[in-house]
Amino acid sequence: MKKIVSMLCIVTLLTAIFGLTCSAAPTDSFTRKNEPGSEVSTVLARESFAVAQTITASTLGLDEALEGLTDAYSGSDGKVYLLCGGDGASRVIILNDDYSLYKELKLVDADGEEMYFGGAQGIFVDSKNLIYVADTDNARILVTDESGVVKEIWGVPESNYIPDEFTYQPSRIIKDDKGYLYILSLGNYYGALSYSPEGEFLGFYGANSVQATVLDTLAMLWEKLTSNDVKKSQSSKKLPYSFVDLCIDSSGYVITCTGKTENSQNGEGQIRKFSSDGSNILFKRNPDGSATSSSSVNFLEQEVIVADGSSRTQNIVAVDTDRLGNIYALDQTYGLVYVYDKECNLLTGFGGGYKTGDQLGTFGKAVSLCMHGDSVLVLDTETYCVTVFEPTDFGKLLFEAQDMYIRGDYDTAKDLWTQVLTLDAGNQMAYKGLAMATYGEGDYETALQYAKDGLDYSIYDLAWQEVLSGFFARNFIWVALLVVAVIGGAIVLMVRVKKRQLVLIHDPKIKTFNSVIFHPFRSFEELKYKKQGSLVIAGILTVLLFVAVVLQSTAGGFLFNTTTAKSYNVLYTLLETVGLLLLWSVSNWLICSLFSGKGTLREVFTASAYACTPLIVMTFLRWLLSLFLPLSAAGFLSGLTTVAWIYTAFLLCIAMITIHEYDFFKFLSTGVGIVFLMVVIVFMLFFTMTMLNMCKIFVSEFFEELLFR
C-alpha cells in the first residue's frame, strides 16, 4: 500500500511551467550605488550637467537646417567642427569658441569642383588645423584645411595586412600627439587601421575578442572532430564585435567603444582603453579593493530593457574624454550620456528622450558627442540641433574631488568631499574619499563609519585591523587571562567528570543526538533500531538552522554581509532552510518507499535534521567570527564552511544508508531519483501558483464585466 501511495504522489507531480521578467531605465540625472553582494542600484542624483544652449541653423544664421549631423570635433584652436554628412548633406560647419558661426565649408578639388561626401560619418582636426573627413560611402578619407580645398585623398591601403574579404568603409578618425593616425572602418572586427606619422600603413591596432565559454570550447572541439566539407560550408563562425568610435585621452591612450552586443549583460565590455601594444588597460576598482577588466564591466543598465513588448538593447555610438581623463559615452537607444572616471565608476548620467526629443536636454536620435573644454556637445540628427551641456558647480566639485582621490591626494580632496556631501548627502564616492582621508589621519573609528557608508570594504578592513590591533595592545593581559581561564575551566570540568564518572545527561534521546557528530554510525543505529530519535530535537534543529542563516545574512559583520534590508526576503531563507529540509524528507521517503526503503517519514526527517548539526554549528560560528575577523580571514571562514558542508553530506549519507538499510551504491542510485523528484515538486508548485493567480485574475475580470453590463 505504501508503494502505491508513493507512486501516485510522484506521478501527480510530473508537470512544470514558468515565466518572465522585465526592467526599466532611468531618464533623469542619475548615478549608481554599490550594494552588498556585488549588487548595483541606479539612483537619482544631483545634476552635474545642465543645458547651456542649443545650436541650430537659426541660432547660427544659416538658411539651411543642420540636416545630416553625424559627428563633431573640438579642435586645439578652440573651434568646433560639425560634420553634416548624412544622406543629401555634404558640408562642414565651423564654430567659434562661443558657438557662433565661423565658416560654412564645402569641399572642392584642386580644379574648384565641389566634392560630394554624403554619407560621411567622422571628422577630425589635427594640431596643424588639417581637417580629416571620413567619407564612409565613398571609401575614402578627405584631407583639407579651412580653405576647403582637398589636399589629399586616402583610399584603402595596399598592404599584405589587409584581408581579401576586407571592406573599407572609414567612419571615425583620430591622431595622437606623436602623429600616429587611427581609422575605424564599419563592420571591421580586426581593430583600427593605424598609420605612422609619415602616412605608412602599419597594420591593425587593438581589437575586441570573442569571449568563449566552456560549452563554446567543447562545441568547437566537437566540430573539428566531426566536421566534413558539407558541415563546414553550412557552419557559421562567431566573430568579435567591431568598434564604432574612438578617442584619445589626456594621457595619450586610445579609448574605444563597441555598439550593440549580444552579451549576457546589456552593456558588458563596451568601453576599452588600449596601451601602445594594443592590450586593454582599463579596469574597474571593486569595493573589496580588487580590480576587474573593463571587458567584464557592464557600462549600461543591468538588463536589456523591455518596453511596449519589445526588447531595446542599449547602443553606445560615441565616446570622448575630458581633461581629467573621465570617459563620456553616448547611448543612442535612450539618448543617455554616461560619465565614467578612469576606474570605471559612474560619476553621473543624464539626457534621455527616446523618440521624444522635444524637451530641452533630451534627444530624438543622438548620433555623436564631443567634449569642448568642460562642456559636452550632443548631436541630434532628428531635430537638427546640437545641445550644449555645461558642468554645474556641483559637477565641477565632484569631478575635481574624484580626480584627486584617484591620484592619491586624499588630504586635499577631503575638504572637497565634505562640500560634496553638503550638496548630496547620499553620494557614495564622497564617503569613500572621506574614509581614505580619515584613515590617513589615524582616525580609524571615523574611517570605519565613512567606509561603511561608502561600501568600501578595503578601507574598512584596513581601519578595522588598526582598531583590533589597538584593542589587543591595550587589553592583552585581560584577554590572555580570560582565554587561560576558559581553557583551564574546561579541562578541570572534563577531568572531574571522567574521574568521578559523573553523568551530566540522563535522557537517552539527548545522548543519541550528542553523539551524532563523533559517533554517527552508532547514533543513527540507535535512532533506527532503539527508537532514540526525537522529533522535538529535530524540530529545534530545523528552527536553529533557519535562525542561523537569518543571523548570518542580516546581522553579520560588515565585511562579510552580502544583503541589505531592501533586498533581503525572510521567506526565501525559510524556503532555503525549513522548506528544503522538508522537501528532501518527503522526496526521500516517496522514492525510497518504491525501492524497499525501511525508513518512515518521521525517521527520515529526524535523521536529516540530526545530520545538519555541523552545518548549524558552523553557521552560528561563522556569524560570530564575522563580527570580529578582518577581510583577510574570508578564506579561512570559507574553508570552515566547506568542511562543514562536506561533513554534513557525509552524515546524511550514513543516516540514509542506516535508516533505509541500503548499501552505498543503492543510496547513490536512489539519490538521483530523490533530486529529480525535488525539482519536479518545485516546478509543480510554481505551476500551481501561476494557475491560481490566472484563475484569480479571470474571476476578477469576469465579475467586473458583469458589473459593467
Side-chain angles (χ1 to χ4, degrees):
M1 182 64 183
K2 185 168 65 172
K3 289 187 177 181
I4 296 174
V5 173
S6 300
M7 181 66 74
L8 289 174
C9 291
I10 294 173
V11 171
T12 304
L13 294 168
L14 293 177
T15 301
I17 292 177
F18 50 95
L20 58 110
T21 61
C22 66
S23 63
T27 54
D28 299 316
S29 293
F30 60 93
T31 187
R32 295 209 180 97
K33 182 181 179 181
N34 292 318
E35 304 282 1
S38 301
E39 295 294 325
V40 178
S41 60
T42 301
V43 295
L44 294 177
R46 195 179 186 91
E47 281 191 340
S48 295
F49 283 90
V51 177
Q53 67 180 95
T54 56
I55 303 171
T56 63
S58 60
T59 63
L60 297 176
L62 296 174
D63 296 330
E64 297 180 37
L66 299 180
E67 294 187 46
L69 282 170
T70 54
D71 198 16
Y73 187 79
S74 176
S76 58
D77 58 356
K79 296 184 177 65
V80 177
Y81 297 78
L82 305 178
L83 174 63
C84 295
D87 294 338
S90 184
R91 56 181 174 155
V92 175
I93 309 296
I94 306 177
L95 309 180
N96 292 308
D97 185 58
D98 61 355
Y99 308 116
S100 61
L101 180 64
Y102 174 74
K103 180 183 290 188
E104 181 179 5
L105 196 65
K106 294 192 176 182
L107 306 188
V108 297
D109 60 18
D111 298 327
E113 294 291 330
E114 185 175 337
M115 300 186 68
Y116 175 74
F117 50 89
Q121 295 191 19
I123 188 170
F124 176 81
V125 183
D126 66 13
S127 58
K128 299 178 181 178
N129 292 334
L130 287 178
I131 304 171
Y132 296 75
V133 176
D135 190 0
T136 310
D137 289 353
N138 294 310
R140 60 187 180 178
I141 301 292
L142 304 177
V143 184
T144 182
D145 56 18
E146 289 186 5
S147 68
V149 179
V150 175
K151 301 179 179 298
E152 296 181 67
I153 299 178
W154 295 15
V156 59
E158 295 181 2
S159 171
N160 294 329
Y161 293 116
I162 302 296
D164 294 336
E165 70 276 9
F166 181 77
T167 301
Y168 187 58
Q169 294 179 296
S171 58
R172 290 289 193 269
I173 318 159
I174 58 168
K175 182 188 284 189
D176 63 19
D177 293 338
K178 297 178 181 178
Y180 288 89
L181 191 73
Y182 303 91
I183 300 174
L184 290 185
S185 179
L186 289 180
N188 164 36
Y189 53 83
Y190 299 104
L193 291 83
S194 63
Y195 292 80
S196 70
E198 293 76 27
E200 178 187 0
F201 177 65
L202 301 176
F204 293 99
Y205 173 81
N208 283 325
S209 58
V210 176
Q211 296 183 359
T213 63
V214 175
L215 292 177
D216 292 332
T217 304
L218 293 175
M220 181 189 68
L221 292 174
W222 176 257
E223 184 179 346
K224 285 188 175 182
L225 292 172
T226 61
S227 63
N228 51 40
D229 292 339
V230 176
K231 288 182 67 177
K232 286 180 180 179
S233 64
Q234 296 176 347
S235 64
S236 60
K237 187 177 181 180
K238 188 176 181 181
L239 299 174
Y241 293 97
S242 59
F243 299 136
V244 296
D245 196 14
L246 75 174
C247 65
I248 294 179
D249 69 4
S250 55
S251 301
Y253 294 111
V254 176
I255 296 176
T256 65
C257 69
T258 306
K260 290 184 180 180
T261 66
E262 296 177 0
N263 290 334
S264 58
Q265 290 188 314
N266 187 32
E268 188 176 72
Q270 287 196 0
I271 300 177
R272 303 188 182 192
K273 179 192 290 187
F274 291 97
S275 62
S276 57
D277 62 355
S279 58
N280 182 25
I281 58 172
L282 184 61
F283 290 87
K284 177 178 176 58
R285 185 71 58 186
N286 298 316
D288 62 357
S290 63
T292 302
S293 170
S294 70
S295 302
S296 302
V297 172
N298 186 3
F299 288 94
L300 302 176
E301 302 314 305
Q302 294 299 303
E303 299 177 6
V304 174
I305 300 162
V306 179
D308 300 330
S310 61
S311 299
R312 296 174 182 167
T313 305
Q314 290 181 271
N315 182 21
I316 296 181
V317 295
V319 67
D320 206 351
T321 64
D322 61 16
R323 59 181 177 82
L324 300 177
N326 298 320
I327 302 171
Y328 295 70
L330 174 64
D331 162 44
Q332 186 179 74
T333 302
Y334 287 93
L336 295 172
V337 178
Y338 293 83
V339 185
Y340 289 90
D341 66 15
K342 291 180 285 190
E343 293 185 348
C344 300
N345 299 301
L346 181 65
L347 297 172
T348 186
F350 56 93
Y354 174 73
K355 294 294 184 183
T356 57
D358 51 357
Q359 185 179 351
L360 190 64
T362 62
F363 318 104
K365 185 178 181 181
V367 292
S368 184
L369 66 74
C370 81
M371 297 300 301
H372 181 60
D374 291 333
S375 301
V376 184
L377 278 62
V378 180
L379 282 63
D380 190 340
T381 190
E382 190 169 281
T383 58
Y384 313 137
C385 73
V386 179
T387 304
V388 181
F389 294 88
E390 290 186 355
T392 62
D393 292 338
F394 172 77
K396 294 176 182 178
L397 192 66
L398 175 65
F399 288 13
E400 198 69 31
Q402 183 66 2
D403 181 61
M404 289 182 180
Y405 176 81
I406 291 177
R407 290 191 284 109
D409 192 359
Y410 308 121
D411 293 336
T412 307
K414 182 180 179 181
D415 292 337
L416 298 180
W417 285 127
T418 303
Q419 296 177 54
V420 168
L421 279 184
T422 60
L423 298 172
D424 184 4
N427 191 284
Q428 205 169 55
M429 286 182 289
Y431 288 116
K432 288 183 179 182
L434 289 172
M436 181 62 82
T438 51
Y439 171 78
E441 294 172 352
D443 188 358
Y444 304 123
E445 295 288 348
T446 305
L448 286 176
Q449 187 57 50
Y450 280 137
K452 190 173 183 178
D453 293 335
L455 202 76
D456 193 325
Y457 295 112
S458 59
I459 300 303
Y460 190 98
D461 184 48
L462 292 173
W464 182 239
Q465 290 184 46
E466 295 292 341
V467 171
L468 286 178
S469 298
F471 173 80
F472 284 113
R474 294 188 304 270
N475 302 281
F476 176 76
I477 295 177
W478 299 108
V479 172
L481 289 175
L482 179 62
V483 172
V484 170
V486 171
I487 295 176
I491 293 174
V492 170
L493 179 62
M494 291 173 61
V495 170
R496 292 192 63 181
V497 168
K498 186 174 182 180
K499 186 176 181 180
R500 299 188 181 186
Q501 297 184 349
L502 298 176
V503 178
L504 301 178
I505 301 175
H506 298 278
D507 192 322
K509 292 185 177 181
I510 298 179
K511 284 184 177 180
T512 299
F513 163 69
N514 285 341
S515 62
V516 163
I517 294 180
F518 301 105
H519 305 286
F521 290 97
R522 186 185 69 191
S523 298
F524 289 122
E525 285 178 358
E526 290 178 352
L527 186 152
K528 172 66 178 176
Y529 301 111
K530 295 183 179 180
K531 307 301 180 182
Q532 297 301 323
S534 172
L535 194 61
V536 175
I537 294 177
I540 293 173
L541 289 173
T542 305
V543 173
L544 288 176
L545 177 62
F546 169 71
V547 172
V549 175
V550 170
L551 287 175
Q552 180 180 265
S553 302
T554 61
F558 170 74
L559 293 173
F560 301 94
N561 195 6
T562 59
T563 60
T564 61
K566 180 177 65 176
S567 62
Y568 183 72
N569 191 331
V570 70
L571 179 61
Y572 292 154
T573 303
L574 185 66
L575 293 175
E576 291 170 356
T577 53
V578 179
L580 188 60
L581 188 57
L582 292 175
L583 179 63
W584 159 266
S585 301
V586 172
S587 301
N588 186 296
W589 175 72
L590 290 173
I591 291 294
C592 292
S593 296
L594 298 176
F595 294 93
S596 304
K598 307 300 183 188
T600 64
L601 179 59
R602 176 180 179 140
E603 290 172 343
V604 171
F605 172 70
T606 303
S608 299
Y610 280 22
C612 291
T613 303
L615 186 62
I616 296 170
V617 173
M618 184 58 226
T619 305
F620 274 112
L621 183 61
R622 182 186 176 94
W623 164 63
L624 288 173
L625 291 177
S626 71
L627 299 174
F628 306 102
L629 293 180
L631 195 59
S632 55
F636 169 72
L637 292 181
S638 297
L640 288 180
T641 303
T642 302
V643 170
W645 273 104
I646 292 174
Y647 196 58
T648 296
F650 172 70
L651 292 180
L652 194 61
C653 178
I654 296 174
M656 295 304 105
I657 289 174
T658 305
I659 294 299
H660 293 299
E661 298 181 7
Y662 281 170
D663 57 31
F664 179 71
F665 295 103
K666 190 170 184 179
F667 166 73
L668 288 181
S669 60
T670 55
V672 175
I674 293 169
V675 173
F676 174 75
L677 182 58
M678 291 173 69
V679 174
V680 170
I681 291 175
V682 172
F683 281 156
M684 196 59 199
L685 288 173
F686 276 115
F687 172 75
T688 303
M689 292 173 63
T690 302
M691 293 300 296
L692 289 175
N693 187 51
M694 292 176 64
C695 290
K696 177 184 175 183
I697 295 173
F698 171 76
V699 172
S700 175
E701 292 180 351
F702 177 75
F703 279 105
E704 284 182 7
E705 285 291 331
L706 287 179
L707 290 175
F708 281 118
R709 293 179 183 276

